[in-house]
Amino acid sequence: MNNSREKIAKYKKQQDAEVLAHYYQPEEIQDIADFVGYSEELNQRALKSRAQILLLCGVNFMAQNAKIVAPDKRIIIPEIMADCPMVKKANLQCLNEMREKHPQAAVVSFINSSAEVKAESDICCTANNALKIINSLSQSEIILVPNKNLGEYISQKTKKKIYSCAHPCPTHNEVTIDDLKRIKKQYADAPILVNLDCRAEVREKADFVGDPDQIIKYANSSKAKKMIIGAERGLLFRLKRQNPRKRFYLLSPHLICQSMKINNLYKTSQALENLEIEVKIDEYIRLKAEHALKKMKYYEKLH
Ligand code: SF4
């Protein structure tokens, strides 16, 4: 393992490369990364980074996002198989079927979607700004892709008619009320913080619901010394690092995303050495996807 760490440091310097990692990556990768964040933060970093080569450790749509916003940079990934199963199912075909059923609806895609789906969207959104974006659109009907549970959560907060995709995040969807009751028996006084991608019945019983960034902010400012986390296990690494005196417990043993854990230090060092697995997007699709992302930024400032 030390060998891989040394090689990563050497190749980063040699190649003028930066390693960007998502919060759900294995701890060893978060540990060597130059930057760790959630999807939108990774986009911002890709845009601002001075490095010419970015190694993106996450799942494929995140690397596509980096290529969309920073087309002049080489975006490298450690493993081609790191595909999000939800994004794979909530694909262009799925979107087209929804559009056929609801032709009058605007299409809003979360940034956790493929480049192809973004390219066919009227606008993108994040979990943070989804409500603002949706409410500011002129259409009263919205197709919201790809996260089913997140879509349903947003639909409860707007008067507009939301048509959500049928595909939840399989990792967060595994968390059940029984998991919650079981862990609450062990740590009765610990508040429960859950990811927006969890099922409605789990969200309703939680003390706090948010995206990874909001969970981190809540945990950092909370006076509680113990907290139960209903988000992918990788988030615990960041929470523990930022709060060494607090204790964090994973709500369910199922909160491990296999697609995120497919990367490791060896693959990371190989990717930096060989620069073989490079993300490419058809320029027509990239431009359309970039337009949907830029429109999100414009609406965010406007409203
Ligand atoms: Fe996809 Fe869920 Fe894994 Fe994120 S945690 S990559 S949404 S399966």
Side-chain angles (χ1 to χ4, degrees):
M1 171 170 23
N2 281 338
N3 202 12
S4 291
R5 280 175 185 263
E6 283 162 20
K7 283 183 179 170
I8 287 168
K10 185 176 101 181
Y11 298 137
K12 270 201 307 188
K13 216 170 166 188
Q14 264 179 16
Q15 314 272 29
D16 179 26
E18 210 174 49
V19 178
L20 315 187
H22 188 268
Y23 287 133
Y24 297 165
Q25 282 293 284
E27 296 185 1
E28 59 194 33
I29 291 185
Q30 292 193 46
D31 207 29
I32 57 90
D34 298 292
F35 180 83
V36 183
Y38 66 104
S39 308
E40 169 66 357
E41 286 177 323
L42 293 172
N43 278 7
Q44 293 308 315
R45 179 68 179 209
L47 194 61
K48 289 178 190 156
S49 172
R50 289 191 176 169
Q52 275 315 297
I53 296 174
L54 300 177
L55 177 74
L56 208 137
C57 301
V59 285
N60 290 341
F61 73 77
M62 294 171 182
Q64 282 191 331
N65 282 349
K67 189 68 187 174
I68 292 167
V69 299
D72 296 337
K73 293 190 165 67
R74 289 185 73 185
I75 310 295
I76 308 294
I77 52 175
E79 166 64 66
I80 194 81
M81 300 302 283
D83 240 338
C84 167
M86 174 188 75
V87 167
K88 227 174 153 183
K89 283 184 188 162
N91 54 19
L92 203 50
Q93 187 191 338
C94 171
L95 174 58
N96 286 338
E97 284 166 12
M98 289 176 84
R99 283 207 293 204
E100 261 178 43
K101 279 189 207 156
H102 312 290
Q104 67 292 354
V107 177
V108 181
S109 59
F110 285 102
I111 64 170
N112 290 3
S113 58
S114 68
E116 291 75 18
V117 164
K118 280 191 192 75
E120 291 303 315
S121 304
D122 292 294
I123 191 165
C124 289
C125 72
T126 65
N128 256 332
N129 64 24
L131 212 51
K132 206 177 184 182
I133 300 277
I134 286 167
N135 288 340
S136 63
L137 293 173
S138 57
Q139 292 91 333
S140 57
E141 296 182 32
I142 311 286
I143 293 171
L144 190 55
V145 288
N147 318 31
K148 175 179 178 276
N149 292 346
L150 181 52
E152 286 173 357
Y153 174 79
I154 301 292
S155 73
Q156 289 166 352
K157 299 188 177 291
T158 176
K159 290 194 175 112
K160 299 205 176 189
K161 179 77 191 151
I162 305 284
Y163 305 111
S164 287
C165 223
H167 307 295
C169 156
T171 306
H172 291 94
N173 199 51
E174 276 287 300
V175 180
T176 64
I177 285 289
D178 286 344
D179 291 326
L180 204 132
K181 285 181 187 161
R182 209 173 300 123
I183 198 147
K184 205 60 189 163
K185 269 187 200 161
Q186 268 181 286
Y187 309 106
D189 55 343
I192 300 179
L193 286 54
V194 304
N195 190 300
L196 286 157
D197 276 336
C198 288
R199 293 164 190 242
E201 62 265 32
V202 172
R203 290 196 309 259
E204 278 158 21
K205 295 280 178 203
D207 297 288
F208 180 77
V209 182
D211 65 23
D213 188 49
Q214 290 167 331
I215 290 177
I216 290 172
K217 284 184 182 137
Y218 184 96
N220 289 356
S221 60
S222 171
K223 288 201 169 74
K225 293 281 174 245
K226 294 177 187 172
M227 280 167 259
I228 297 165
I229 305 298
E232 210 280 344
R233 191 179 67 180
L235 197 63
L236 263 64
F237 179 67
R238 177 109 320 219
L239 288 167
K240 285 176 186 169
R241 188 165 260 197
Q242 292 187 0
N243 300 277
R245 289 166 189 264
K246 295 178 183 172
R247 293 278 172 94
F248 298 97
Y249 306 98
L250 201 60
L251 201 165
S252 157
H254 300 300
L255 280 164
I256 300 173
C257 172
Q258 299 304 335
S259 305
M260 284 283 185
K261 303 302 189 238
I262 207 167
N263 291 332
N264 58 35
L265 275 188
Y266 175 73
K267 291 178 188 175
T268 304
S269 115
Q270 290 283 297
L272 280 169
E273 182 182 6
N274 303 323
L275 306 180
E276 267 173 7
I277 319 177
E278 184 170 352
V279 176
K280 306 258 185 201
I281 306 174
D282 176 276
E283 185 59 6
Y284 177 69
I285 292 174
R286 194 200 68 74
L287 282 169
K288 283 178 80 182
E290 187 184 37
H291 178 71
L293 278 170
K294 281 188 173 164
K295 206 166 158 193
M296 169 182 85
K297 287 288 167 200
Y298 178 72
Y299 267 63
E300 216 177 20
K301 282 188 196 136
L302 203 65
H303 298 279

